[in-house]
Amino acid sequence: MERTPHILIVDDDREIRDLLNRFLVKHGLRVSTAADGREMLMALQGGAIDLIVLDLMLPGEDGLTLTRNLRASGAAQSGTQGGAIPIIMLTAMGEEMDRIVGLEMGADDYLAKPFNPRELLARIKAVLRRFETLPASYVNSGTSDSVRCFAGWTLNLSSQVLRNPNGETVTISGGEFEFLHAFVTHPGRVLNRDQLLDLARGRDAQPFDRAVDVQVSRLRKKIEPDPKTPTFIKTVRGGGYMFTPSVTTPKPEEKGRNEVQE
């Protein structure tokens, strides 16, 4: 039986919470709500959440602070997909800087207020399609072609788990995974911003160039030996970005050893 995605709505406006609760439940989703960061953390501890819709303007800690803290602490790792729970941030209309900072903090998508609930539903479905929960049995027994190795790093394309050369898990957001996935599956190719957005987010991509630059910058901080002088993800003047490391797929026996270590 297919599991119903569980959405957490975090907004201090009760009318918005109630409206979105009724609308999303009507369209087949499970919904929990929270009015602030404290209630959000309680909801995360109470059950597996597949996606968070998080308002930027909240009493106490705002949405940017909450996103940053979740990504930094790994508290958003309670999702059923085994990685950081995707976050859609609700921002003020026309505030591009809020969107940029939200992406920098680790949000995966954004939607400006006021918005049509149908648009939010479409965004939720798009993000869930990109980071669809996989059965644990599939993740744990994935085939070798679901893993990519580069410069000592290992990225599992099924479970979205990234490990550094020491075998340690490195937390990445859903957005960061999207772009790293695009890079490791297209190494040595110059990808412009439109191509990267299309590879990472498909038809649901928004024409927002800074979104690409922000995610690339975040990735560099996670995987580059020296993010200030990147050697893995190189900027190509007038072209875009190129992933330079050699990317390999481990042999089945190597994959088995990696799983034992996990």
Side-chain angles (χ1 to χ4, degrees), residues 16-103:
I16 291 179
R17 294 198 308 272
D18 291 346
L19 182 152
L20 292 180
N21 189 356
R22 292 193 301 270
F23 182 81
L24 296 178
V25 168
K26 179 181 177 181
H27 286 82
L29 299 171
R30 296 169 56 211
V31 177
S32 294
T33 62
D36 54 28
R38 181 183 62 83
E39 292 186 5
M40 179 188 77
L41 293 177
M42 291 176 60
L44 288 172
Q45 295 169 0
I49 301 295
D50 295 292
L51 183 145
I52 303 172
V53 176
L54 178 61
D55 187 24
L56 175 66
M57 302 300 295
L58 291 171
E61 292 184 311
D62 62 19
L64 293 175
T65 301
L66 292 171
T67 298
R68 180 184 61 208
N69 291 343
L70 285 173
R71 295 310 192 215
S73 68
Q77 295 295 312
S78 58
T80 56
Q81 62 187 22
I85 298 176
I87 296 173
I88 296 178
M89 184 166 288
L90 303 179
T91 67
M93 175 66 76
E95 294 296 330
E96 180 175 308
M97 185 55 65
D98 287 342
R99 299 198 295 270
I100 294 172
V101 175
L103 292 169

Side-chain angles (χ1 to χ4, degrees), residues 11-218:
D11 197 304
D12 62 326
D13 189 319
R14 181 175 181 177
E15 290 186 6
I16 291 179
R17 294 198 308 272
D18 291 346
L19 182 152
L20 292 180
N21 189 356
R22 292 193 301 270
F23 182 81
L24 296 178
V25 168
K26 179 181 177 181
H27 286 82
L29 299 171
R30 296 169 56 211
V31 177
S32 294
T33 62
D36 54 28
R38 181 183 62 83
E39 292 186 5
M40 179 188 77
L41 293 177
M42 291 176 60
L44 288 172
Q45 295 169 0
I49 301 295
D50 295 292
L51 183 145
I52 303 172
V53 176
L54 178 61
D55 187 24
L56 175 66
M57 302 300 295
L58 291 171
E61 292 184 311
D62 62 19
L64 293 175
T65 301
L66 292 171
T67 298
R68 180 184 61 208
N69 291 343
L70 285 173
R71 295 310 192 215
S73 68
Q77 295 295 312
S78 58
T80 56
Q81 62 187 22
I85 298 176
I87 296 173
I88 296 178
M89 184 166 288
L90 303 179
T91 67
M93 175 66 76
E95 294 296 330
E96 180 175 308
M97 185 55 65
D98 287 342
R99 299 198 295 270
I100 294 172
V101 175
L103 292 169
E104 289 176 339
M105 294 298 101
D108 298 287
D109 203 351
Y110 55 85
L111 185 61
K113 286 184 171 182
F115 59 86
N116 188 312
R118 291 187 179 278
E119 183 177 1
L120 176 60
L121 177 62
R123 296 293 184 93
I124 289 173
K125 288 182 176 180
V127 173
L128 290 176
R129 281 198 302 270
R130 298 202 302 267
F131 309 116
E132 184 178 2
T133 301
L134 295 174
S137 59
Y138 179 81
V139 171
N140 294 332
S141 62
T143 59
S144 60
D145 61 4
S146 68
V147 176
R148 296 293 186 275
C149 301
F150 63 93
W153 291 76
T154 301
L155 177 67
N156 190 308
L157 306 182
S158 297
S159 63
Q160 302 184 18
V161 172
L162 176 67
R163 296 187 183 278
N164 65 21
N166 295 324
E168 301 164 335
T169 300
V170 176
T171 300
I172 57 175
S173 70
E176 292 162 3
F177 169 79
E178 287 179 330
F179 281 81
L180 185 55
H181 184 293
F183 281 128
V184 300
T185 53
H186 298 81
R189 287 181 52 185
V190 177
L191 300 173
N192 62 36
R193 290 178 177 83
D194 288 340
Q195 289 172 322
L196 272 171
L197 278 173
D198 186 58
L199 288 169
R201 301 188 174 185
R203 298 178 182 177
D204 303 298
Q206 297 295 307
F208 184 34
D209 285 353
R210 286 298 302 275
V212 175
D213 298 333
V214 167
Q215 298 293 10
V216 169
S217 176
R218 288 180 58 85

